[in-house]
């Protein structure tokens, strides 16, 4: 006798992800939209997203926690650049304070979702990652807050001779619990944020760590603790001091980015000057810290208290710039003929992007082709009704953008309730000039750019990198504009065949 299918659970909002973005969405919904029913789908068995998944040595934020933390919850620790365990504690505390624990459905992976104009709802297909069971949910809105990384598999290029190597090869995204590199020779392949985090952390106990890079990266030291922030909180109190520090750091981030964009040659010289001061006398700075691109064409790497430079100065770590010819039994052979001996090789070679978590979307049975859509206000897709997403900044703290999107989303829901609307969708001019959604030249972006939505060249279709600009667009401007269309049950009752495309914003 077959088991009858489970009843479809109905929700106002289905949130995808229980990491720092998803938890933020939940907090805003609890406070700003308390009458709305919602649940958070988390494919893993624990909250925290990145900060629970990644376990490699030294994992930490690459932004200060006064801006990476939530606006509504002051960062409680003295470290401005914080370790993953501290960030995870902060997130779990937020979950508890806002009563979100019961809202999370663990081991629930969203596979696909189909929008129905007739019902003005999404039918969301979910798979239990622990049992394989298939479930269906019905939701008025989907808000995907899982970021854009593929969490089950990192990027590893093909290395000739990989099978020859007698030691152990690991990727930071799949760091094993049983690894012990004490007293061993380690080669870390890569030069991005993960590599510059791993090298000084592993150098504390390894015999030696070599960072092998094909292309140098801009690296800047920052104090691990913001002493001025601590002063502000002593003088003005925790809440006010946190807000002032947050504002200060937002301004610093913006001005640093603008300076690098407007005066790239000057910025390059300044960063080089800082690097020279941090490194041993005579160190070949122009070989290992001189990228072939301008600052902020790719992300700048932050090292707290200059820990990477300290490891290079004391000899526990070194940097080699070159191209890999092949792996050997005992290490890595470079095209220059030099062989780097290694007992462990860490492939910090980057991540794979996965737009919208790999969810297959369709509208009235027609698949949504993401490269044919445009991003509206940095959080909706043209032609896709009642669908929102959170993608943070690349040149500022991720969570700054997520907070703005959440506030706008709650305002939009209130506007729709007040006007009797149940459907909202942006409409873009198909002849509008476009460019990629993400403009960084980093390899992980360029490998996936053709699978991502696109952006226009002006608001509301422009993906801004500036907090002040986005704040004006999302919070200080009217909720509606000519690009955002609405529909209601009354409209569909009179013209059911027209779908969701007749009633527009005032």
């Amino acid at each position: 006798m077959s088991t009858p299918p489970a009843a479809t659970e109905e929700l106002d909002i289905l949130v995808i992800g229980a990491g720092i973005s998803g938890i933020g969405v939940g907090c805003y919904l609890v406070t700003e939209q308390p009458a709305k029913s919602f649940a958070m789908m988390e494919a893993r068995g624990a909250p925290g997203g990145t900060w629970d998944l990644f376990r490699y040595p030294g994992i930490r934020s690459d932004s200060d926690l006064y801006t990476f933390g939530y606006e509504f919850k002051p960062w409680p620790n003295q470290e401005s650049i914080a370790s993953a365990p501290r960030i995870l504690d902060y997130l779990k505390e937020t979950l508890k304070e806002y009563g979100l624990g019961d809202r999370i459905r663990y081991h629930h992976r969203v596979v696909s979702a189909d929008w129905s104009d007739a019902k003005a709802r999404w039918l969301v297909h979910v798979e239990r990652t622990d049992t394989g069971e298939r479930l269906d949910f019905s939701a008025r809105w989907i808000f995907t807050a899982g970021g854009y990384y593929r969490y089950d598999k990192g990027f590893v290029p093909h290395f000739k001779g990989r099978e020859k190597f007698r030691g152990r090869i690991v990727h930071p995204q799949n760091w094993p619990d049983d690894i012990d590199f004490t007293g061993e020779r380690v080669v870390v392949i890569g030069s991005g944020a993960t590599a510059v985090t791993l090298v000084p952390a592993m150098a504390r106990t390894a015999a030696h760590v070599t960072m092998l890079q094909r292309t140098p990266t801009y690296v800047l030291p920052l104090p691990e603790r913001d002493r001025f922030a601590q002063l502000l909180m002593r003088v003005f109190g925790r809440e006010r001091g946190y807000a002032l520090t947050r504002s200060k750091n937002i301004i610093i981030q913006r001005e640093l980015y603008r300076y690098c964009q407007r005066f790239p040659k000057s910025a390059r010289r300044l960063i080089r000057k800082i690097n020279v001061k941090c490194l041993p006398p005579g160190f070949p700075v122009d070989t290992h810290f001189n990228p072939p691109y301008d600052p902020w064409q790719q992300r700048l790497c932050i090292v707290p208290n200059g820990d990477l430079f300290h490891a290079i100065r004391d000899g526990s770590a070194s940097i080699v710039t070159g191209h890999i010819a092949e792996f050997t039994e005992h290490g890595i052979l470079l095209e220059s003929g030099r062989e780097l001996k290694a007992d462990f090789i860490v492939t910090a070679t980057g991540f794979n992007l996965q737009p919208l978590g790999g969810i297959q979307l369709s509208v009235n049975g027609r698949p949504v082709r993401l490269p044919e859509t445009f991003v509206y206000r940095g959080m909706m897709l043209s032609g896709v009704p009642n669908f929102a997403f959170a993608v943070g900044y690349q040149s500022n703290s991720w969570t700054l953008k997520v907070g703005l999107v959440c506030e706008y989303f709650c305002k939009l829901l209130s506007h729709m309730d007040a006007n009797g609307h149940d459907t909202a969708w942006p409409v873009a001019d198909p002849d509008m000039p476009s460019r990629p959604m993400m403009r960084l030249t980093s390899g992980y972006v360029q490998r996936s750019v053709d699978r991502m939505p696109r952006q226009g060249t002006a608001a509301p279709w422009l993906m801004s990198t500036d907090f002040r600009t986005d704040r004006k667009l999302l919070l200080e401007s009217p909720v509606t504009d000519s690009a955002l269309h609405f529909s209601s049950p009354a409209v569909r009752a009179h013209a059911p065949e027209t779908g969701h495309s007749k009633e527009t914003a005032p």
Side-chain angles (χ1 to χ4, degrees), residues 488-506:
S488 63
V491 171
R492 288 191 299 277
H494 286 90
E497 75 281 357
T498 59
H500 62 264
S501 60
K502 277 295 179 183
E503 185 177 349
T504 62

Side-chain angles (χ1 to χ4, degrees), residues 363 368 373 381-385 425-428 500:
V363 175
V368 174
T373 64
L381 297 176
S382 60
V384 182
W425 70 102
V427 176
H500 62 264

Side-chain angles (χ1 to χ4, degrees), residues 107 138 167 191 197 202 228 249 251 271 318 325 344 346 371 415 417 434 447 470 488:
H107 301 292
S138 173
S191 60
T197 298
M202 299 184 77
F228 188 61
N249 289 3
I251 293 171
I271 295 171
S318 59
F344 284 97
V346 182
H415 172 85
D417 289 344
S434 70
R447 286 193 299 270
D470 276 331
S488 63

Side-chain angles (χ1 to χ4, degrees), residues 259-275:
Y259 169 66
C260 290
Q261 292 292 299
R262 293 181 179 183
F263 310 105
K265 292 182 180 180
S266 175
R268 180 190 288 268
R269 289 194 297 269
L270 177 60
I271 295 171
R272 184 187 184 281
K273 184 176 181 180
I274 294 171
N275 291 163

Side-chain angles (χ1 to χ4, degrees), residues 10-57:
E10 295 192 352
L11 300 164
D12 289 319
I13 304 152
L14 185 142
V15 180
I16 301 175
I20 192 167
S21 300
I23 293 171
V25 175
C27 292
Y28 278 99
L29 290 176
V30 165
T31 55
E32 301 297 328
Q33 296 289 333
K36 294 286 191 291
S37 61
F38 73 93
M40 302 159 66
M41 304 291 144
E42 172 54 56
R44 303 178 64 252
T50 296
W51 307 107
D52 179 74
L53 172 66
F54 295 108
R55 305 297 176 92
Y56 59 82

Side-chain angles (χ1 to χ4, degrees), residues 314-474:
D314 67 24
S316 61
S318 59
I319 297 182
V320 173
T321 302
H323 292 261
I324 296 173
E326 63 178 331
F327 282 24
T328 66
E329 291 184 1
H330 304 292
I332 298 174
L333 180 66
L334 304 181
E335 290 182 356
S336 65
R338 179 181 177 183
E339 184 176 13
L340 303 178
K341 301 292 186 180
D343 304 298
F344 284 97
I345 295 175
V346 182
T347 54
T349 45
F351 305 101
N352 291 307
L353 296 190
Q354 185 169 252
L356 306 181
I359 303 165
Q360 300 300 309
L361 295 177
S362 58
V363 175
N364 298 317
R366 297 188 298 273
V368 174
R369 304 183 188 281
L370 293 180
E372 298 175 5
T373 64
F374 287 86
V375 177
Y376 171 80
R377 296 202 187 206
M379 52 82 68
M380 294 180 73
L381 297 176
S382 60
V384 182
N386 289 22
F387 183 87
F389 65 93
V391 171
Y393 290 122
Q394 301 158 43
S395 55
N396 293 304
S397 288
W398 173 275
T399 328
L400 287 177
K401 179 63 172 282
V402 175
L404 293 176
V405 166
C406 290
E407 289 191 65
Y408 173 79
F409 179 62
C410 291
K411 288 175 60 179
L412 177 58
L413 293 178
S414 295
H415 172 85
M416 292 175 67
D417 289 344
N419 290 276
H421 303 314
D422 62 4
T423 306
W425 70 102
V427 176
D429 178 354
D431 297 322
M432 177 173 59
S434 70
R435 56 190 182 188
M437 173 181 164
M438 301 174 69
R439 287 179 282 174
L440 293 179
T441 61
S442 307
Y444 72 92
V445 173
Q446 296 305 310
R447 286 193 299 270
S448 305
V449 70
D450 60 340
R451 296 187 290 114
M452 305 285 282
R454 298 186 66 78
Q455 64 171 314
T457 56
W461 304 104
L462 182 66
M463 287 287 289
S464 170
T465 59
D466 181 64
F467 177 79
R468 179 185 292 175
T469 300
D470 276 331
R471 185 174 183 85
K472 183 177 180 180
L473 174 67
L474 294 172

Side-chain angles (χ1 to χ4, degrees), residues 116-362:
S116 167
D117 277 338
K119 297 179 180 179
R121 298 188 75 91
W122 288 96
L123 180 61
V124 184
H125 303 291
V126 174
E127 180 183 49
R128 289 287 305 245
T129 57
D130 53 349
T131 66
E133 180 185 5
R134 293 297 182 103
L135 304 170
D136 286 341
F137 291 80
S138 173
R140 295 190 182 279
W141 275 86
I142 292 176
F143 195 123
T144 178
Y148 47 59
Y149 288 125
R150 180 176 174 179
Y151 287 102
D152 62 334
K153 186 178 181 181
F155 174 73
V156 181
H158 171 71
F159 292 115
K160 181 182 178 181
R162 180 185 175 114
E163 69 284 352
K164 297 179 184 177
F165 182 60
R166 292 183 177 180
R168 193 166 183 178
I169 303 173
V170 296
H171 190 283
Q173 193 163 328
N174 305 106
W175 197 266
D177 295 330
D178 62 345
I179 192 168
D180 182 10
F181 48 84
T182 303
E184 305 285 3
R185 298 166 299 179
V186 180
V187 173
V188 177
I189 303 174
S191 60
T194 302
V196 302
T197 298
L198 274 165
V199 170
M202 299 184 77
R204 297 185 189 115
T205 56
H208 187 80
V209 180
T210 302
M211 187 170 90
L212 172 58
Q213 61 181 11
R214 182 178 58 184
T215 306
T217 299
Y218 291 105
V219 182
L220 279 176
L222 279 183
E224 185 179 44
R225 296 187 178 186
D226 187 334
R227 298 188 182 279
F228 188 61
Q230 300 304 312
L231 174 62
L232 288 175
M233 280 186 267
R234 282 198 301 270
V235 174
F236 295 100
R238 183 166 174 254
E239 299 267 346
R240 183 61 177 158
Y242 177 75
L244 290 170
T245 302
R246 186 178 176 87
S247 297
K248 168 184 73 74
N249 289 3
I250 288 171
I251 293 171
I252 291 173
Q253 289 177 18
R254 183 181 71 243
E255 293 307 316
L256 174 61
Y257 179 77
R258 291 175 65 184
Y259 169 66
C260 290
Q261 292 292 299
R262 293 181 179 183
F263 310 105
K265 292 182 180 180
S266 175
R268 180 190 288 268
R269 289 194 297 269
L270 177 60
I271 295 171
R272 184 187 184 281
K273 184 176 181 180
I274 294 171
N275 291 163
V276 169
K277 288 184 177 180
C278 293
L279 291 162
F283 186 89
V285 177
D286 292 327
T287 299
H288 303 307
F289 289 94
N290 184 29
Y293 53 86
D294 290 334
W296 274 121
Q297 286 186 318
Q298 298 184 25
R299 285 185 66 92
L300 271 65
C301 288
I302 301 301
V303 288
N305 294 335
D307 57 3
L308 175 66
F309 301 117
H310 285 295
I312 293 172
R313 283 205 307 268
D314 67 24
S316 61
S318 59
I319 297 182
V320 173
T321 302
H323 292 261
I324 296 173
E326 63 178 331
F327 282 24
T328 66
E329 291 184 1
H330 304 292
I332 298 174
L333 180 66
L334 304 181
E335 290 182 356
S336 65
R338 179 181 177 183
E339 184 176 13
L340 303 178
K341 301 292 186 180
D343 304 298
F344 284 97
I345 295 175
V346 182
T347 54
T349 45
F351 305 101
N352 291 307
L353 296 190
Q354 185 169 252
L356 306 181
I359 303 165
Q360 300 300 309
L361 295 177
S362 58

